Amino acid sequence: MGVFLKLLYDNIFLMIEKKQIEEFNLNKINHHKDGYNFLSKILRKKEINIDNIINKLSKLEIAIPSWALGIGGTRFGRFSLGGQPRNLNEKIHDVGILNTLTKSSGLISLHIPWDIPDDFELINKIAKSQGINFDSVNSNTFQDQKDSKLSYKFGSLSHVDKNVRDLAISHNIQVINYGKKIGAKSLTVWLADGSSYPGQSNFRDAFKRTLDSLHKIYEYLPDDWKLLIEYKPHEPYFYSMVIPDWGSSFLFTSKLGKKAYSLIDLGHHLPNTNIEQIVAILMQEEKLGGFHFNDSNYGDDDLTVGSQNPFQLFLIFCELVQGEKETKNPKVSWMIDESHNLKDPLEDLLQSIENIKIAYIKSLLVDFRRLREAQEKNDITLCESILNEAFNIDVRPIVNESNFRLGGSISPIDTYRKLEIRKKLTNQRGQKYTSSGL
């Protein structure tokens, strides 16, 4: 317990006090209320209850991955930034900063083995002190682990060598055991297995070996857990991937059982893929379990959510909102999955959280009854107009009002900068440090 108190003491000067947020909000409140009241009048004329929207927004939970709190980079290298988290304790603390400002990011998703707690009892106490809970745990079979005599160079769950497959299976089981100790309820598997040259791999055999490996992991999964299977069309291999698309993921989950679900990562699609249609079909089949938010132009760019194609993000949320009402798909886990090479990671995440909220609110403003009627009449112009009508409304006052009512900041990034959080983190942690796990 003494160590625990010391860890809290080391970080206490970086805690954002309620009084600091209240003082910041006081300087912004008049301008905010003007915008909020103006928007309220517009929505009342449309017979939209703004309080119902704020109530739904207040229940929004967006997980932050432990690997996204430091500088990422590209295969060419990375640029340094001061104040990056050096261990899991500091990562949890940084998620606490985000949640204090936004009141929507009280979950952290751990990547194993990058972020294995040294002391599970201690790390649970640290998380509780920050108001943070643990989301899905993520396995890693795309890197050879320290001191391992076997290699994942030619695959893991699909490898031709049973010994390598068994190693990958045991790793996933170990990750589940870690997750149990921190209260997680799902395992996310992104399989990097694939090939880069024609003839390198037998597609059918690789599929069968992967299914057999996943069955063994699935059998170990607790009854109240989910197995989330992610897909990706390319990278790190460029000729074939064992799980290249949502259809492959859906096929695996269907063969495994009711605890298995597909996970959509926005960056894991070929350019111009209609992701909103994928959302709709997976929810219809009750097989959408997780969602990783980011944005891209070409591939897995991992850019700020909504920074490149906000209209597509809006359309995706339209399907998520409709699917929640019209299907029996279970609650979907939402997480931001980004790599920050140019921006301050915490500012980037704050922007992403806001953009997710904006897209979500706009989707709630869509008159879906009217849209369905227009669809039944094949009135394409009206269908498009109904969507554009909701998309073109500036809903930022609703985001700010929700933050305000929950005790967060009216303007999280402005507060972050006003309080000089990055400067304080740098003073404590140092100027040059590579975030753990990256």
Side-chain angles (χ1 to χ4, degrees), residues 180-248:
K180 290 178 182 178
K181 294 181 180 181
I182 56 176
K185 292 296 181 180
S186 61
L187 168 69
T188 298
V189 175
W190 171 60
L191 193 66
D193 294 19
S195 66
S196 286
Y197 298 95
Q200 177 183 339
S201 174
N202 183 294
F203 302 138
R204 288 185 293 275
D205 287 352
F207 182 94
K208 287 187 288 186
R209 289 193 295 265
T210 301
L211 180 59
D212 180 69
S213 297
L214 286 172
H215 265 301
K216 293 174 181 176
I217 297 168
Y218 184 87
E219 290 170 1
Y220 190 82
L221 202 70
D223 291 338
D224 59 345
W225 273 53
K226 294 178 183 178
L227 175 61
L228 304 178
I229 299 180
E230 201 168 347
Y231 58 89
K232 192 174 184 180
H234 61 82
E235 197 183 38
Y237 300 102
F238 298 97
Y239 176 68
S240 72
M241 295 289 286
V242 174
I243 311 180
D245 51 35
W246 73 273
S248 303

Side-chain angles (χ1 to χ4, degrees), residues 310-318 359 362-363 366 387 390-391:
F311 188 63
Q312 184 187 44
L313 183 64
F314 160 70
L315 295 176
I316 288 168
F317 266 101
C318 286
K362 288 182 176 183
S363 70
V366 174
L387 291 176
F391 177 73

Side-chain angles (χ1 to χ4, degrees), residues 20-68:
Q20 291 176 304
I21 292 180
E22 289 174 347
E23 289 176 351
F24 179 87
N25 287 344
L26 188 62
N27 293 325
K28 296 274 188 177
I29 193 67
N30 290 334
H31 178 71
H32 160 64
K33 287 298 183 182
D34 287 343
Y36 178 74
N37 291 334
F38 178 75
L39 179 57
S40 296
K41 290 178 183 179
I42 293 175
L43 295 183
R44 275 199 299 271
K45 290 180 181 180
K46 296 177 179 289
E47 299 183 348
I48 296 174
N49 189 321
I50 197 168
D51 286 324
N52 286 344
I53 293 175
I54 291 176
N55 182 53
K56 290 181 179 180
L57 192 60
S58 68
K59 298 175 183 178
L60 189 67
E61 292 182 311
I62 306 167
I64 306 298
S66 60
W67 62 92

Side-chain angles (χ1 to χ4, degrees), residues 8-25:
L8 288 184
Y9 178 78
D10 287 343
N11 282 327
I12 199 163
F13 75 95
L14 287 175
M15 293 290 187
I16 301 175
E17 297 179 6
K18 183 178 179 181
K19 182 179 179 181
Q20 291 176 304
I21 292 180
E22 289 174 347
E23 289 176 351
F24 179 87
N25 287 344

